[in-house]
Amino acid sequence: MEIICFGDSITRGYDVPYGRGWVEICDASIEGVNFTNYGEDGCSVQGMIYNIENWAVTAVSDPTRYIFLMCGTNDILQGRDSTYVYKALVKAIELASTKGKVIIGLETQIDSDMDGLDLVVREVNEQLKAYAEAHNIKVIDFYTTLFEADQIGQIVFAGEVHPNERGYRLMAYKALEVFTRL
């Protein structure tokens, strides 16, 4: 089985040594599954669409392939509203779905709620959950996973946006709940 991951720095595993990001932890945890991580630091949703388009040129449609998508925080930090981010993510989902089964990752919180931007993250996540339910798409809720850990006093962020090693480990555990049932 193949799982292709597209997204921003949170997908790539920013701020921790290679092998300690959530995608690499999942890759090391499941035998017989080939993970490819196209996460890119600073990636906007439009940048992710571009990356999917470049990959899709040579990728044949494969109904057994899973394509994980998670992006949007950089757009929100740049002042884009939830409607813009959601519509761009739907475009990415529709594009990726031509090459395999999509799994949507819900972006993590903006820790300490800088300038009220975490509200925008929550709005996008709610829209994505509704879209996923309407289109029978699996969702991995990273937001709730890290939010709940943060609420009980666990330090899960290395800064305002990026998880630390504990945060990525929790994300991997959450992702494995979905990936091991595919």
Side-chain angles (χ1 to χ4, degrees):
M1 182 171 55
E2 178 181 32
I3 300 175
I4 309 293
C5 300
F6 288 97
D8 54 25
S9 55
I10 298 170
T11 298
R12 195 209 37 92
Y14 181 85
D15 230 1
V16 295
Y18 181 80
R20 295 184 184 165
W22 73 268
V23 174
E24 288 74 33
I25 294 170
C26 288
D27 190 22
S29 300
I30 309 174
E31 287 189 32
V33 177
N34 180 34
F35 282 83
T36 304
N37 190 348
Y38 289 107
E40 183 178 301
D41 295 351
C43 196
S44 65
V45 178
Q46 187 58 47
M48 183 176 72
I49 291 169
Y50 176 78
N51 292 340
I52 296 167
E53 288 172 338
N54 281 343
W55 168 80
V57 168
T58 58
V60 283
S61 181
D62 182 350
T64 66
R65 174 189 296 131
Y66 290 90
I67 303 167
F68 172 87
L69 305 176
M70 183 173 71
C71 202
T73 297
N74 291 311
D75 296 89
I76 293 166
L77 291 171
Q78 293 169 3
R80 294 184 177 103
D81 66 14
S82 61
T83 301
Y84 171 89
V85 175
Y86 169 72
K87 286 181 178 180
L89 285 167
V90 168
K91 182 178 176 182
I93 293 164
E94 290 172 350
L95 174 63
S97 68
T98 66
K99 301 296 179 176
K101 298 175 191 168
V102 172
I103 299 172
I104 299 170
L106 300 183
E107 284 276 23
T108 60
Q109 74 191 71
I110 296 178
D111 198 32
S112 76
D113 198 13
M114 297 182 335
D115 303 321
L117 296 178
D118 191 58
L119 174 62
V120 182
V121 173
R122 290 193 314 266
E123 289 171 351
V124 171
N125 284 346
E126 288 304 314
Q127 292 171 308
L128 286 173
K129 282 194 276 190
Y131 180 90
E133 186 174 326
H135 293 88
N136 197 29
I137 297 173
K138 293 183 185 312
V139 171
I140 302 174
D141 187 353
F142 292 128
Y143 185 96
T144 300
T145 298
L146 294 189
F147 180 80
E148 288 176 352
D150 190 45
Q151 292 300 298
I152 62 170
Q154 291 185 8
I155 306 299
V156 293
F157 288 96
E160 301 293 335
V161 177
H162 298 105
N164 60 19
E165 285 189 42
R166 175 182 285 151
Y168 283 121
R169 201 168 40 252
L170 291 172
M171 290 176 72
Y173 297 154
K174 187 63 170 178
L176 286 167
E177 290 177 9
V178 173
F179 292 154
T180 56
R181 294 184 180 134
L182 297 177

